[in-house]
Amino acid sequence: MAKYTVVTMPGDGIGEVVLSEALRVLEAVGFDAEYVHGDIGWEFWKSEGNALPERTVRLLEEHKLGLFGAITSKPKPAAAAELDSSLMGKGYTYYSPIVTMRQLFNLDICIRPCRSFKGNPLNFIRRTADGGFEEPAVDAVIFRQNTEGMYAGLEWTNPPEPVLAALATHPKFEKFADTSPEDLAISTRVFTRPACRRILRAGFEYARKHGYESVTVCEKPNVLRETSGMMEEEAKAIHEDYPEIQLWSTNIDAQMMWLTKNPEAYGVIVAGNLFGDIVSDAFAGLVGGLGFAASGNIGDDVAVFEPTHGSAPKYAELDPPIVNPIAMMLTAAMMLDHVGEMDAAKRIRQAVASVVEEGRVRVYDMMRLVGAPDVIARGAASTHEMTDAIIAKLGVPAAV
Ligand code: NAI
Ligand code: MG
């Protein structure tokens, strides 16, 4: 019997392409796992009215570990129109399967490492005073609270009377009191102390384990006094357990400015859901963007790993596929770290690093080409060729 069982959920579009490439790499690195397939995505919305069928939820419950590609989701009218005719008008509502998964399994800790690989033509560069340029080595790991805050779904247009009545108890509501409820849209931002503590603790632990010097809380406590204020307050308390690590605090807006001034200064960054979403995409842009952005969604019991990118439908049908599999490879490496297979994870990252640094094999996004079938003729590697190059660099597994 294999040591690990992984629920693989390729999903839609390029999700299928990159996941199968990651499995080749996991096999080449000697990861002792068996894989069970989990249905997920648009096809299942259309045919069953549920993009995350119950049987897939059960598989995750049982095996606790998921590797996910990407899904397609579409706006409400398109979702309704594409539903199988036998299901239409029966009250089915589309919910994003990844958001549902995060809520169902309380995958409240989202980790998004953003590290630049030497030689990546997509790395951020900065002008120097003498007219030259320099390339800061970015190594930031964003810890995003994944289940609360602005994305908890607690919102209304035309709020019901009890909500209006509750809001009316706040003196600041006075200026909205004359607006008719149909013209009022409200999205709430709820933080809970336990969730703040969990994301902060996870960030500090990671910093300690991986030798980062600082943890930065990236919020906006001068304006969002209650929610960001709670995160800051808890950060100070938890920091007492990690005296060797510096605790910094930035405002999300200022952080976007520091991003291009001194991104190399930051290590672990902790933020709520919305600001974590923003700051992680921003840092990902400095190190190559979607083709390089990996993430893990981690709960107490279940963990699901996924590249940050979506299903890129316009590239899904290309043969050979051209998309960058590196985000998915780095995602697989995060999964290996999570289960304690650090050596294998490191070998994958080193293999990626050496292919990127050599610069002989580059997929289209690394050549700054617009994705199209002709990129191969223009010298871009296909998805398979990039994977082959990475596998060739993996070296011989350490003897066990
Ligand atoms: P997307 O991430 O699928 O693609 C945006 C663009 O980024 C692509 O057109 C392509 O130029 C580039 N790109 C993405 N992945 C790449 C890769 N591995 N290599 C090279 N280039 C890559 O986002 P988009 O176009 O906004 O959404 C497409 C579909 O994906 C939508 O249905 C959306 O809802 C869904 N989506 C799903 C996500 C998920 O599964 N977690 C996340 C984001 C979007
Ligand atoms: Mg995002």
Side-chain angles (χ1 to χ4, degrees):
M1 222 181 94
K3 191 167 171 196
Y4 303 100
T5 303
V6 183
V7 181
T8 49
M9 295 165 280
D12 303 307
I14 66 162
E16 293 194 46
V17 174
V18 292
L19 186 65
S20 65
E21 301 292 309
L23 295 184
R24 287 171 61 205
V25 170
L26 286 168
E27 189 183 336
V29 86
F31 182 50
D32 181 14
E34 65 180 313
Y35 299 96
V36 285
H37 170 90
D39 290 337
I40 193 169
W42 195 248
E43 190 186 325
F44 301 97
W45 158 251
K46 290 199 298 188
S47 59
E48 301 176 26
N50 186 357
L52 181 66
E54 193 55 30
R55 56 189 177 277
T56 305
V57 173
R58 296 270 163 271
L59 285 177
L60 284 168
E61 254 167 24
E62 184 183 346
H63 302 296
K64 322 279 187 218
L65 192 59
L67 193 57
F68 168 52
I71 48 90
T72 295
S73 56
K74 299 185 186 179
K76 221 170 152 182
E82 290 188 34
L83 194 58
D84 189 89
S85 56
S86 67
L87 302 175
M88 277 184 181
K90 297 201 173 147
Y92 288 96
T93 310
Y94 179 83
Y95 295 107
S96 155
I98 183 66
V99 175
T100 307
M101 224 187 280
R102 288 172 186 157
Q103 305 286 353
L104 263 182
F105 295 110
N106 193 29
L107 306 178
D108 62 332
I109 293 163
C110 177
I111 311 181
R112 294 189 170 185
C114 299
R115 300 190 176 101
S116 46
F117 288 104
K118 217 169 155 187
N120 185 352
L122 303 176
N123 283 344
F124 168 70
I125 55 170
R126 193 168 51 199
R127 199 183 296 278
T128 53
D130 61 6
F133 69 88
E134 59 191 359
E135 193 174 305
V138 177
D139 182 358
V141 184
I142 290 87
F143 279 69
R144 162 189 174 192
Q145 207 296 326
N146 223 9
T147 48
E148 300 190 340
M150 293 292 286
Y151 295 175
L154 199 53
E155 49 182 13
W156 303 266
T157 299
N158 194 2
E161 187 49 44
V163 174
L164 291 171
L167 289 168
T169 64
H170 198 293
K172 294 279 185 194
F173 194 66
E174 206 171 304
K175 70 170 174 248
F176 303 109
D178 292 337
T179 309
S180 102
E182 300 91 75
D183 294 336
L184 267 183
I186 297 174
S187 302
T188 64
R189 187 177 208 253
V190 180
F191 278 28
T192 65
R193 213 176 283 283
C196 290
R197 285 181 184 148
R198 273 178 55 85
I199 192 76
L200 286 159
R201 178 74 64 190
F204 274 108
E205 277 298 313
Y206 189 96
R208 173 171 281 170
K209 192 166 157 199
H210 298 275
Y212 287 86
E213 287 172 11
S214 64
V215 169
T216 303
V217 175
C218 178
E219 279 287 324
K220 184 86 182 178
N222 53 337
V223 177
L224 300 171
R225 294 175 178 279
E226 306 305 328
T227 45
S228 295
M230 180 182 280
M231 187 72 92
E232 290 254 314
E233 187 186 317
E234 290 305 321
K236 285 186 189 125
I238 289 173
H239 182 216
E240 287 178 15
D241 297 341
Y242 303 85
E244 79 281 14
I245 296 166
Q246 297 170 41
L247 172 61
W248 299 346
S249 165
T250 55
N251 286 340
I252 177 70
D253 48 345
Q255 182 70 65
M256 292 300 104
M257 185 265 295
W258 296 121
L259 187 76
T260 47
K261 285 220 146 199
N262 62 345
E264 68 274 46
Y266 297 92
V268 170
I269 297 180
V270 180
N273 209 338
L274 170 64
F275 296 163
D277 195 12
I278 294 171
V279 79
S280 60
D281 271 17
F283 267 94
L286 302 178
V287 301
L290 290 174
F292 288 83
S295 77
N297 304 282
I298 296 167
D300 262 342
D301 202 27
V302 173
V304 176
F305 295 83
E306 54 160 339
T308 304
H309 63 72
S311 60
K314 61 185 175 192
Y315 303 138
E317 304 300 325
L318 294 186
D319 187 19
I322 61 164
V323 291
N324 193 343
I326 290 179
M328 189 77 226
M329 310 288 157
L330 298 174
T331 299
M334 285 184 78
M335 179 185 79
L336 293 179
D337 271 337
H338 178 76
V339 299
E341 299 288 342
M342 319 296 195
D343 284 346
K346 198 168 151 196
R347 281 172 58 217
I348 293 179
R349 279 191 284 264
Q350 281 174 346
V352 169
S354 98
V355 171
V356 173
E357 188 167 4
E358 271 183 16
R360 275 187 287 151
V361 181
R362 285 179 174 165
V363 270
Y364 82 93
D365 60 330
M366 297 172 71
M367 295 175 70
R368 296 186 175 278
L369 295 174
V370 176
D374 72 342
V375 297
I376 305 283
R378 296 168 72 188
S382 70
T383 310
H384 298 305
E385 286 165 342
M386 177 50 103
T387 309
D388 289 344
I390 292 168
I391 290 174
K393 293 284 182 195
L394 281 172
V396 186
V400 276

